[in-house]
Amino acid sequence: MNQRRIIFLCLFGAYHLSVILFILYVESLKANDKLVDLYDLSEKTALFKWGAIMGFGLFLVEAGWTWLDTRRARKGHESLRLENNTLKATVYDLQQAEKKRAAEATVQPKS
């Protein structure tokens, strides 16, 4: 995994951890019937909404990077497969030429 991906995943994980902590805080307030604090939190729902949009954007970036990496790996795999087939064909041709020479050497009578 490259450094760019590690940094991105750390940011993505920190974002999700902050969302979980926020949700736990809201649930703890709901359990204590602190409606005044819940009304104060309603002012911050816009912040939470933008945070959720940011999280979705980060998810799309990660999906794009994964797609690009997969495509790049597939192209690399295809080029390696073609090189392997070329080398196999070369070895086969050399083996056939050697068999042909061996067969010609055994067929010729010694004078």
Side-chain angles (χ1 to χ4, degrees), residues 17-36:
L17 183 62
S18 65
V19 168
I20 289 170
L21 292 175
F22 179 78
I23 291 170
L24 291 174
Y25 177 67
V26 170
E27 287 179 354
S28 70
L29 291 178
K30 197 186 308 183
N32 293 333
D33 283 335
K34 293 185 179 180
L35 293 177
V36 175

